[in-house]
Amino acid sequence: MEKADTPLQQVQANIAQACKIARRDPGEVTLVAVSKTHPAEAIQPLLIEGQRHFGENRVQEAQAKWPALREEYPAVQLHLIGQLQSNKAEDAVALFDAIHSLDRSSLVKALGKAMDKTGRRVPCFVQVDVGEEEQKGGCPIAELPALLDQAREADIPIAGLMCIPPFDIEPTPFFALLDKLARDHGPADDSWGRSMGMSGDYETAVKLGATHVRVGTALFGERG
Ligand SMILES: *Cc1c(COP(=O)(O)O)cnc(C)c1O
């Protein structure tokens, strides 16, 4: 009997299938395994399978877990996917390889300062509030051009846009909107990333242009 696919293999296969339907190159899609709340022992098997991109939503939790794992797996790329307080900007810049939650002017200032100080220029996705739900964070669409200007002035490398659509409604229009915003506000060669899609909707997101999907539950099981 053949061995059953691991959750990682299943998610990778689903991404590949969504790419095929959308006629996209699977190499354009980065799977970010969201390991928040899960201990190192739960992360190890994915590292052994070859997964290298991981997402965390809290600076402190990531600081506690990742330095040791990274010694063993130096190619790991850490993505900060949760809301970031300005007073943690310097710690975040020191630890993470990408920040997906740049969403306000005060944070642009703090991150710009942290990058100047440390000399590490960490690519940032600007989180956009596509569903007009303040509690999830995200820059209002009307304020996006000004925030992008400010980020450029602060010499923050912009990796693209990120969104978390409203819970429990069809995400397609929100993913399509983020894709359009990235095309409208990004460089002429359309090279910006789109960080969108979670366990429940990553295949849909890939069909609509996601370059980074943030998948937790489908890889690690429910969070306790
Ligand atoms: C927790 C989280 C995820 C992963 O969610 P799952 O439904 O477990 O895949 C993705 N993005 C963000 C911003 C998160 O906070």
Side-chain angles (χ1 to χ4, degrees):
M1 218 172 80
E2 270 185 60
K3 264 194 9 209
D5 282 353
T6 64
L8 178 61
Q9 287 169 331
Q10 282 168 25
V11 170
Q12 285 168 336
N14 291 339
I15 291 172
Q17 180 63 21
C19 283
K20 199 170 165 198
I21 291 167
R23 297 172 195 275
R24 296 187 60 203
D25 172 1
E28 290 172 8
V29 182
T30 300
L31 170 60
V32 179
V34 177
S35 49
K36 64 187 186 195
T37 78
H38 298 290
E41 304 81 76
I43 297 170
Q44 283 280 3
L46 265 81
L47 286 163
I48 291 165
E49 274 193 84
Q51 175 66 26
R52 289 297 175 264
H53 289 263
F54 290 87
E56 291 282 346
N57 68 337
R58 302 186 107 111
V59 176
Q60 258 173 324
E61 184 187 337
Q63 279 174 326
K65 271 190 326 209
W66 281 99
L69 288 168
R70 255 183 173 166
E71 254 175 55
E72 223 180 317
Y73 299 94
V76 159
Q77 298 280 302
L78 276 187
H79 300 253
L80 179 63
I81 60 165
Q83 287 185 29
L84 176 59
Q85 291 171 284
S86 295
N87 63 6
K88 301 255 171 69
E90 204 177 314
D91 288 340
V93 164
L95 183 67
F96 288 93
D97 301 291
I99 294 171
H100 293 236
S101 50
L102 175 55
D103 65 351
R104 60 192 189 279
S105 177
S106 56
L107 189 55
V108 167
K109 284 196 197 105
L111 284 171
K113 218 169 123 188
M115 290 183 197
D116 289 343
K117 190 169 164 190
T118 58
R120 254 175 79 78
R121 306 218 85 83
V122 179
C124 293
F125 291 82
V126 173
Q127 183 179 346
V128 184
D129 181 12
V130 288
E132 301 186 314
E133 290 181 305
E134 265 170 43
Q135 74 279 11
K136 279 193 183 150
C139 164
I141 290 169
E143 292 168 24
L144 180 60
L147 192 68
L148 288 168
D149 282 345
Q150 202 198 344
R152 287 186 193 104
E153 255 163 59
D155 221 357
I156 295 175
I158 301 295
L161 302 180
M162 178 270 213
C163 72
I164 308 173
F167 186 64
D168 255 6
I169 51 173
E170 167 56 42
T172 301
F174 301 104
F175 293 153
L177 174 58
L178 194 80
D179 182 58
K180 178 176 162 33
L181 290 169
R183 240 178 300 120
D184 290 351
H185 296 279
D189 65 357
D190 196 24
S191 56
W192 260 5
R194 285 87 156 137
S195 170
M196 55 189 197
M198 315 194 343
S199 290
D201 54 22
Y202 65 92
E203 292 145 288
T204 304
V206 166
K207 288 175 196 160
L208 290 158
T211 62
H212 293 70
V213 291
R214 311 176 307 265
V215 178
T217 309
L219 293 171
F220 292 100
E222 295 289 338
R223 287 177 289 273

